[in-house]
Amino acid sequence: MLILGIDTSCDDTSAAIVENGVKILSNIVSSQDEVHKKYGGIVPELASRRHIEMILPVVDEALKKAKVEIKDISAVAVCHGPGLIGSLLIGVCFAKSLSYVNNIPLVAANHLEGHIFSSFLEEEKPEFPFIALIASGGHTSLVRVDDFGRYKELGRTRDDAAGEAYDKVAKLLGLSYPGGPIIDRLAQEGNSKAIDFPRAYLSGTFDFSFSGLKTAVLNFLRKIDSSLLTRHSSLIKDIAASFQSAVVDVLVRKTIEAAKEEGVRNVVLSGGVSANSALRENLTNRALEDGLRVYLPSLQLCTDNAAMIASVGYFLFKNNKLSSMSLNPEAYLPL
Ligand code: KG4
Ligand code: ZN
């Protein structure tokens, strides 16, 4: 069974063909980084406009790369939220038209569900139950997953998402967008103990908070001589490494605690921040000490992509959860 997945929830236009929910035949992602770079963050209006331009060529390329035609597709799966409303609208309208014109069933997938299930596209599939850490540019939450469609949110961020904190701190440091991968690279050459940035553990909850950390970086920068902060200085590398260490310490500790408290042995990492080298390494090491098993999606499946939407779409289609032409995008959509 072939599912065409479409994701336009944020700033990437993506289409993928996935066979039986697990085998990727194509996964095309057209990045808008170049468009938003000069603004240091996503400009929603520009994102929607670029989706309009890119959606048709990206879907065409996904079909071509998979060597299939639209008539071979069993269902169109589209991400209908959460995300930027204008961006989501393009994917939803396009998917509805494609479904209507070609008489192909339509299914609507939740973006967060997509991130959680991206690990199912890897060779080794996670076993239920598992704890999923979703850490992206828009969301940071811990979820207990008992089965497909059975979720319990244990905690979430009270302010910034982890990726958002990375992007905002990168902007403070005069770095480009998206800041996560740049800070990750700089941090590898820096001293993570150089600056003692605060960690908000919010004990007794599985919630997160990253805005205090962001302010701490800002206050630190106000006190130093800014001429020392060049792109290749050891100072910028130390700030990056110390900031990253504060984010990763909190994410790792709370994820391990959640697994222990829930009595769950499997942990799944997902969302753009799960591409982070320190997070992947530290979580893997800590989990090993505690006898937990960690599932890490490959790097291209961490950040936004439509293969994860097609994978969720397959399960929805199999369970006959079809959508109608009245489907609307939802900026806020719980799991
Ligand atoms: O999941 P995603 O592609 O989009 C959302 O659903 O938000 O996540 C994008 C976020 C951005 O904030 C980006 O800076 C961050 O993921 N990110 C990283 C890394 N790669 C991407 N953050 C830290 N380290 C990375 N290597
Ligand atoms: Zn995402």
Side-chain angles (χ1 to χ4, degrees):
M1 197 185 292
L2 297 178
I3 309 290
L4 164 63
I6 295 175
D7 188 290
T8 61
S9 57
C10 197
D11 60 338
D12 291 320
T13 317
S14 182
I17 310 290
V18 172
E19 191 177 7
N20 297 331
V22 291
K23 188 173 173 206
I24 300 174
L25 302 189
S26 63
N27 190 15
I28 310 298
V29 180
S30 167
S31 163
Q32 299 185 0
D33 288 352
E34 283 305 317
V35 175
H36 304 286
K37 226 175 187 164
K38 55 180 171 290
Y39 306 100
I42 300 164
V43 182
E45 179 62 24
L46 297 182
S48 328
R49 284 167 192 255
R50 183 48 79 94
H51 283 308
I52 296 175
E53 289 165 19
M54 294 313 294
I55 186 78
L56 190 56
V58 165
V59 168
D60 260 345
E61 197 181 336
L63 290 165
K64 265 193 207 111
K65 186 150 186 233
K67 298 192 175 62
V68 299
E69 291 177 33
I70 195 74
K71 65 173 174 42
D72 305 318
I73 301 297
S74 309
V76 178
V78 66
C79 168
H80 69 126
L84 298 172
I85 196 71
S87 291
L88 289 164
L89 196 59
I90 313 304
V92 169
C93 287
F94 186 86
K96 285 196 320 194
S97 321
L98 206 62
S99 153
Y100 184 74
V101 168
N102 296 285
N103 202 19
I104 306 170
L106 178 71
V107 287
N110 182 306
H111 186 76
L112 301 178
E113 211 172 7
H115 275 306
I116 292 175
F117 282 89
S118 52
S119 277
F120 282 75
L121 292 159
E122 300 295 347
E123 198 72 16
E124 274 190 278
K125 323 251 178 262
E127 279 174 28
F128 297 112
F130 59 80
I131 298 296
L133 169 66
I134 310 171
S136 70
H139 301 88
T140 297
S141 50
L142 277 165
V143 181
R144 180 190 164 111
V145 182
D146 281 288
D147 202 343
F148 182 76
R150 285 180 56 205
Y151 314 112
K152 181 171 110 188
E153 191 181 79
L154 305 171
R156 59 161 64 197
T157 182
R158 294 181 184 175
D159 39 58
D160 290 347
E164 190 180 357
Y166 264 97
D167 296 337
K168 287 178 175 170
V169 165
K171 197 172 176 185
L172 293 176
L173 294 172
L175 301 169
S176 191
Y177 174 84
I182 305 171
I183 291 188
D184 191 358
R185 271 196 303 279
L186 288 172
Q188 287 168 26
E189 293 173 35
N191 173 8
S192 63
K193 294 193 170 58
I195 307 145
D196 189 17
F197 286 131
R199 282 124 173 97
Y201 285 111
L202 307 181
S203 58
T205 77
F206 288 117
D207 283 351
F208 299 94
S209 168
F210 296 104
S211 67
L213 171 60
K214 184 186 64 190
T215 307
V217 175
L218 179 63
N219 289 339
F220 179 85
L221 293 175
R222 280 187 177 141
K223 283 192 222 130
I224 59 164
D225 174 0
S226 58
S227 68
L228 299 174
L229 202 70
T230 58
R231 182 73 166 78
H232 300 287
S233 62
S234 59
L235 180 60
I236 204 168
K237 292 172 185 168
D238 287 349
I239 297 172
S242 302
F243 160 78
Q244 174 154 293
S245 155
V247 175
V248 169
D249 280 355
V250 174
L251 291 176
V252 169
R253 189 199 287 186
K254 298 195 82 100
T255 305
I256 301 280
E257 275 175 9
K260 283 183 171 169
E261 190 165 307
E262 290 291 315
V264 167
R265 307 215 65 74
N266 299 315
V267 171
V268 169
L269 204 53
S270 67
V273 180
S274 62
N276 185 265
S277 58
L279 177 61
R280 293 168 85 88
E281 192 183 325
N282 290 14
L283 188 66
T284 306
N285 293 342
R286 273 297 310 277
L288 208 65
E289 287 168 19
D290 287 300
L292 305 172
R293 178 129 196 228
V294 177
Y295 295 86
L296 304 169
S298 51
L299 295 187
Q300 67 274 19
L301 291 176
C302 291
T303 43
D304 287 352
N305 68 89
M308 67 187 197
I309 299 301
S311 177
V312 170
Y314 169 78
F315 291 105
L316 292 169
F317 185 55
K318 235 176 51 170
N319 293 315
N320 213 21
K321 293 195 169 151
L322 304 184
S323 291
S324 71
M325 286 300 126
S326 62
L327 176 71
N328 277 322
E330 310 276 349
Y332 300 96
L333 186 68
L335 270 171

PDB file of all heavy atoms in Angstrom, residues 83-105:
ATOM      1  N   GLY A  83       0.781  23.899  13.673  1.00  0.00           N
ATOM      2  CA  GLY A  83       1.771  24.577  12.842  1.00  0.00           C
ATOM      3  C   GLY A  83       1.316  25.980  12.516  1.00  0.00           C
ATOM      4  O   GLY A  83       0.380  26.501  13.132  1.00  0.00           O
ATOM      5  N   LEU A  84       1.974  26.588  11.541  1.00  0.00           N
ATOM      6  CA  LEU A  84       1.591  27.930  11.105  1.00  0.00           C
ATOM      7  C   LEU A  84       0.366  27.799  10.214  1.00  0.00           C
ATOM      8  O   LEU A  84       0.382  27.038   9.238  1.00  0.00           O
ATOM      9  CB  LEU A  84       2.732  28.573  10.302  1.00  0.00           C
ATOM     10  CG  LEU A  84       4.049  28.791  11.047  1.00  0.00           C
ATOM     11  CD1 LEU A  84       5.140  29.258  10.087  1.00  0.00           C
ATOM     12  CD2 LEU A  84       3.845  29.815  12.166  1.00  0.00           C
ATOM     13  N   ILE A  85      -0.674  28.548  10.544  1.00  0.00           N
ATOM     14  CA  ILE A  85      -1.958  28.323   9.868  1.00  0.00           C
ATOM     15  C   ILE A  85      -1.875  28.540   8.351  1.00  0.00           C
ATOM     16  O   ILE A  85      -2.394  27.735   7.568  1.00  0.00           O
ATOM     17  CB  ILE A  85      -3.093  29.152  10.530  1.00  0.00           C
ATOM     18  CG1 ILE A  85      -4.459  28.629  10.091  1.00  0.00           C
ATOM     19  CG2 ILE A  85      -2.965  30.637  10.289  1.00  0.00           C
ATOM     20  CD1 ILE A  85      -4.828  27.293  10.654  1.00  0.00           C
ATOM     21  N   GLY A  86      -1.181  29.594   7.930  1.00  0.00           N
ATOM     22  CA  GLY A  86      -1.078  29.872   6.498  1.00  0.00           C
ATOM     23  C   GLY A  86      -0.305  28.784   5.767  1.00  0.00           C
ATOM     24  O   GLY A  86      -0.646  28.402   4.642  1.00  0.00           O
ATOM     25  N   SER A  87       0.726  28.263   6.408  1.00  0.00           N
ATOM     26  CA  SER A  87       1.531  27.194   5.814  1.00  0.00           C
ATOM     27  C   SER A  87       0.720  25.908   5.710  1.00  0.00           C
ATOM     28  O   SER A  87       0.691  25.243   4.659  1.00  0.00           O
ATOM     29  CB  SER A  87       2.772  26.925   6.678  1.00  0.00           C
ATOM     30  OG  SER A  87       3.661  28.000   6.605  1.00  0.00           O
ATOM     31  N   LEU A  88       0.024  25.569   6.814  1.00  0.00           N
ATOM     32  CA  LEU A  88      -0.789  24.340   6.832  1.00  0.00           C
ATOM     33  C   LEU A  88      -1.868  24.384   5.749  1.00  0.00           C
ATOM     34  O   LEU A  88      -2.161  23.373   5.100  1.00  0.00           O
ATOM     35  CB  LEU A  88      -1.478  24.180   8.196  1.00  0.00           C
ATOM     36  CG  LEU A  88      -0.595  23.827   9.386  1.00  0.00           C
ATOM     37  CD1 LEU A  88      -1.328  24.093  10.700  1.00  0.00           C
ATOM     38  CD2 LEU A  88      -0.170  22.355   9.328  1.00  0.00           C
ATOM     39  N   LEU A  89      -2.425  25.574   5.581  1.00  0.00           N
ATOM     40  CA  LEU A  89      -3.524  25.741   4.619  1.00  0.00           C
ATOM     41  C   LEU A  89      -3.120  25.304   3.210  1.00  0.00           C
ATOM     42  O   LEU A  89      -3.912  24.687   2.492  1.00  0.00           O
ATOM     43  CB  LEU A  89      -3.935  27.225   4.622  1.00  0.00           C
ATOM     44  CG  LEU A  89      -5.265  27.598   4.013  1.00  0.00           C
ATOM     45  CD1 LEU A  89      -6.415  26.882   4.699  1.00  0.00           C
ATOM     46  CD2 LEU A  89      -5.469  29.112   4.141  1.00  0.00           C
ATOM     47  N   ILE A  90      -1.887  25.587   2.831  1.00  0.00           N
ATOM     48  CA  ILE A  90      -1.434  25.247   1.473  1.00  0.00           C
ATOM     49  C   ILE A  90      -1.414  23.718   1.296  1.00  0.00           C
ATOM     50  O   ILE A  90      -1.950  23.191   0.320  1.00  0.00           O
ATOM     51  CB  ILE A  90      -0.010  25.800   1.181  1.00  0.00           C
ATOM     52  CG1 ILE A  90       0.146  27.259   1.597  1.00  0.00           C
ATOM     53  CG2 ILE A  90       0.371  25.566  -0.291  1.00  0.00           C
ATOM     54  CD1 ILE A  90      -0.832  28.224   1.008  1.00  0.00           C
ATOM     55  N   GLY A  91      -0.835  23.019   2.274  1.00  0.00           N
ATOM     56  CA  GLY A  91      -0.760  21.563   2.181  1.00  0.00           C
ATOM     57  C   GLY A  91      -2.143  20.935   2.196  1.00  0.00           C
ATOM     58  O   GLY A  91      -2.443  20.027   1.402  1.00  0.00           O
ATOM     59  N   VAL A  92      -3.010  21.433   3.097  1.00  0.00           N
ATOM     60  CA  VAL A  92      -4.357  20.853   3.232  1.00  0.00           C
ATOM     61  C   VAL A  92      -5.169  21.092   1.955  1.00  0.00           C
ATOM     62  O   VAL A  92      -5.811  20.165   1.430  1.00  0.00           O
ATOM     63  CB  VAL A  92      -5.079  21.412   4.491  1.00  0.00           C
ATOM     64  CG1 VAL A  92      -6.550  21.048   4.497  1.00  0.00           C
ATOM     65  CG2 VAL A  92      -4.403  20.891   5.767  1.00  0.00           C
ATOM     66  N   CYS A  93      -5.141  22.304   1.422  1.00  0.00           N
ATOM     67  CA  CYS A  93      -5.909  22.602   0.192  1.00  0.00           C
ATOM     68  C   CYS A  93      -5.389  21.763  -0.975  1.00  0.00           C
ATOM     69  O   CYS A  93      -6.174  21.209  -1.752  1.00  0.00           O
ATOM     70  CB  CYS A  93      -5.790  24.076  -0.185  1.00  0.00           C
ATOM     71  SG  CYS A  93      -6.731  25.115   0.897  1.00  0.00           S
ATOM     72  N   PHE A  94      -4.072  21.651  -1.052  1.00  0.00           N
ATOM     73  CA  PHE A  94      -3.486  20.885  -2.158  1.00  0.00           C
ATOM     74  C   PHE A  94      -3.874  19.409  -2.038  1.00  0.00           C
ATOM     75  O   PHE A  94      -4.288  18.780  -3.022  1.00  0.00           O
ATOM     76  CB  PHE A  94      -1.959  21.027  -2.142  1.00  0.00           C
ATOM     77  CG  PHE A  94      -1.298  20.398  -3.328  1.00  0.00           C
ATOM     78  CD1 PHE A  94      -1.142  21.109  -4.507  1.00  0.00           C
ATOM     79  CD2 PHE A  94      -0.841  19.080  -3.273  1.00  0.00           C
ATOM     80  CE1 PHE A  94      -0.549  20.521  -5.614  1.00  0.00           C
ATOM     81  CE2 PHE A  94      -0.254  18.493  -4.378  1.00  0.00           C
ATOM     82  CZ  PHE A  94      -0.103  19.206  -5.548  1.00  0.00           C
ATOM     83  N   ALA A  95      -3.774  18.860  -0.841  1.00  0.00           N
ATOM     84  CA  ALA A  95      -4.091  17.435  -0.632  1.00  0.00           C
ATOM     85  C   ALA A  95      -5.570  17.165  -0.913  1.00  0.00           C
ATOM     86  O   ALA A  95      -5.919  16.140  -1.505  1.00  0.00           O
ATOM     87  CB  ALA A  95      -3.745  17.041   0.801  1.00  0.00           C
ATOM     88  N   LYS A  96      -6.434  18.088  -0.491  1.00  0.00           N
ATOM     89  CA  LYS A  96      -7.865  17.899  -0.736  1.00  0.00           C
ATOM     90  C   LYS A  96      -8.156  17.891  -2.246  1.00  0.00           C
ATOM     91  O   LYS A  96      -8.913  17.058  -2.739  1.00  0.00           O
ATOM     92  CB  LYS A  96      -8.676  19.012  -0.054  1.00  0.00           C
ATOM     93  CG  LYS A  96      -8.763  18.802   1.443  1.00  0.00           C
ATOM     94  CD  LYS A  96      -9.817  19.575   2.208  1.00  0.00           C
ATOM     95  CE  LYS A  96     -10.123  20.963   1.906  1.00  0.00           C
ATOM     96  NZ  LYS A  96     -10.936  21.628   2.950  1.00  0.00           N
ATOM     97  N   SER A  97      -7.524  18.806  -2.979  1.00  0.00           N
ATOM     98  CA  SER A  97      -7.742  18.867  -4.430  1.00  0.00           C
ATOM     99  C   SER A  97      -7.255  17.581  -5.088  1.00  0.00           C
ATOM    100  O   SER A  97      -7.946  16.987  -5.929  1.00  0.00           O
ATOM    101  CB  SER A  97      -6.987  20.027  -5.075  1.00  0.00           C
ATOM    102  OG  SER A  97      -7.044  21.133  -4.265  1.00  0.00           O
ATOM    103  N   LEU A  98      -6.082  17.142  -4.681  1.00  0.00           N
ATOM    104  CA  LEU A  98      -5.485  15.930  -5.267  1.00  0.00           C
ATOM    105  C   LEU A  98      -6.390  14.719  -5.006  1.00  0.00           C
ATOM    106  O   LEU A  98      -6.624  13.890  -5.895  1.00  0.00           O
ATOM    107  CB  LEU A  98      -4.120  15.710  -4.596  1.00  0.00           C
ATOM    108  CG  LEU A  98      -3.063  14.948  -5.361  1.00  0.00           C
ATOM    109  CD1 LEU A  98      -2.712  15.686  -6.639  1.00  0.00           C
ATOM    110  CD2 LEU A  98      -1.796  14.826  -4.498  1.00  0.00           C
ATOM    111  N   SER A  99      -6.885  14.655  -3.791  1.00  0.00           N
ATOM    112  CA  SER A  99      -7.756  13.551  -3.390  1.00  0.00           C
ATOM    113  C   SER A  99      -9.068  13.601  -4.186  1.00  0.00           C
ATOM    114  O   SER A  99      -9.531  12.587  -4.708  1.00  0.00           O
ATOM    115  CB  SER A  99      -8.018  13.670  -1.880  1.00  0.00           C
ATOM    116  OG  SER A  99      -9.227  13.098  -1.521  1.00  0.00           O
ATOM    117  N   TYR A 100      -9.644  14.784  -4.308  1.00  0.00           N
ATOM    118  CA  TYR A 100     -10.942  14.937  -4.977  1.00  0.00           C
ATOM    119  C   TYR A 100     -10.837  14.628  -6.474  1.00  0.00           C
ATOM    120  O   TYR A 100     -11.603  13.837  -7.023  1.00  0.00           O
ATOM    121  CB  TYR A 100     -11.442  16.370  -4.758  1.00  0.00           C
ATOM    122  CG  TYR A 100     -12.804  16.631  -5.313  1.00  0.00           C
ATOM    123  CD1 TYR A 100     -13.939  16.121  -4.680  1.00  0.00           C
ATOM    124  CD2 TYR A 100     -12.975  17.379  -6.475  1.00  0.00           C
ATOM    125  CE1 TYR A 100     -15.209  16.352  -5.198  1.00  0.00           C
ATOM    126  CE2 TYR A 100     -14.232  17.612  -7.004  1.00  0.00           C
ATOM    127  CZ  TYR A 100     -15.345  17.098  -6.357  1.00  0.00           C
ATOM    128  OH  TYR A 100     -16.584  17.324  -6.873  1.00  0.00           O
ATOM    129  N   VAL A 101      -9.842  15.229  -7.108  1.00  0.00           N
ATOM    130  CA  VAL A 101      -9.699  15.103  -8.570  1.00  0.00           C
ATOM    131  C   VAL A 101      -9.371  13.665  -8.968  1.00  0.00           C
ATOM    132  O   VAL A 101      -9.866  13.152  -9.960  1.00  0.00           O
ATOM    133  CB  VAL A 101      -8.608  16.076  -9.083  1.00  0.00           C
ATOM    134  CG1 VAL A 101      -8.229  15.784 -10.520  1.00  0.00           C
ATOM    135  CG2 VAL A 101      -9.064  17.507  -8.921  1.00  0.00           C
ATOM    136  N   ASN A 102      -8.536  12.992  -8.160  1.00  0.00           N
ATOM    137  CA  ASN A 102      -8.091  11.639  -8.515  1.00  0.00           C
ATOM    138  C   ASN A 102      -8.874  10.544  -7.799  1.00  0.00           C
ATOM    139  O   ASN A 102      -8.554   9.361  -7.953  1.00  0.00           O
ATOM    140  CB  ASN A 102      -6.600  11.483  -8.209  1.00  0.00           C
ATOM    141  CG  ASN A 102      -5.755  12.398  -9.062  1.00  0.00           C
ATOM    142  OD1 ASN A 102      -5.555  12.157 -10.242  1.00  0.00           O
ATOM    143  ND2 ASN A 102      -5.308  13.488  -8.472  1.00  0.00           N
ATOM    144  N   ASN A 103      -9.851  10.974  -6.989  1.00  0.00           N
ATOM    145  CA  ASN A 103     -10.683  10.009  -6.253  1.00  0.00           C
ATOM    146  C   ASN A 103      -9.840   9.075  -5.375  1.00  0.00           C
ATOM    147  O   ASN A 103      -9.990   7.857  -5.413  1.00  0.00           O
ATOM    148  CB  ASN A 103     -11.537   9.225  -7.265  1.00  0.00           C
ATOM    149  CG  ASN A 103     -12.752   8.639  -6.608  1.00  0.00           C
ATOM    150  OD1 ASN A 103     -13.137   9.095  -5.519  1.00  0.00           O
ATOM    151  ND2 ASN A 103     -13.332   7.616  -7.217  1.00  0.00           N
ATOM    152  N   ILE A 104      -8.932   9.703  -4.611  1.00  0.00           N
ATOM    153  CA  ILE A 104      -8.067   8.948  -3.696  1.00  0.00           C
ATOM    154  C   ILE A 104      -8.472   9.326  -2.274  1.00  0.00           C
ATOM    155  O   ILE A 104      -8.667  10.514  -1.986  1.00  0.00           O
ATOM    156  CB  ILE A 104      -6.571   9.327  -3.895  1.00  0.00           C
ATOM    157  CG1 ILE A 104      -6.157   9.162  -5.352  1.00  0.00           C
ATOM    158  CG2 ILE A 104      -5.666   8.490  -3.006  1.00  0.00           C
ATOM    159  CD1 ILE A 104      -4.772   9.750  -5.643  1.00  0.00           C
ATOM    160  N   PRO A 105      -8.602   8.355  -1.346  1.00  0.00           N
ATOM    161  CA  PRO A 105      -8.965   8.692   0.035  1.00  0.00           C
ATOM    162  C   PRO A 105      -7.971   9.674   0.661  1.00  0.00           C
ATOM    163  O   PRO A 105      -6.775   9.657   0.340  1.00  0.00           O
ATOM    164  CB  PRO A 105      -8.919   7.341   0.764  1.00  0.00           C
ATOM    165  CG  PRO A 105      -9.057   6.327  -0.308  1.00  0.00           C
ATOM    166  CD  PRO A 105      -8.454   6.909  -1.551  1.00  0.00           C
TER     167      PRO A 105
END
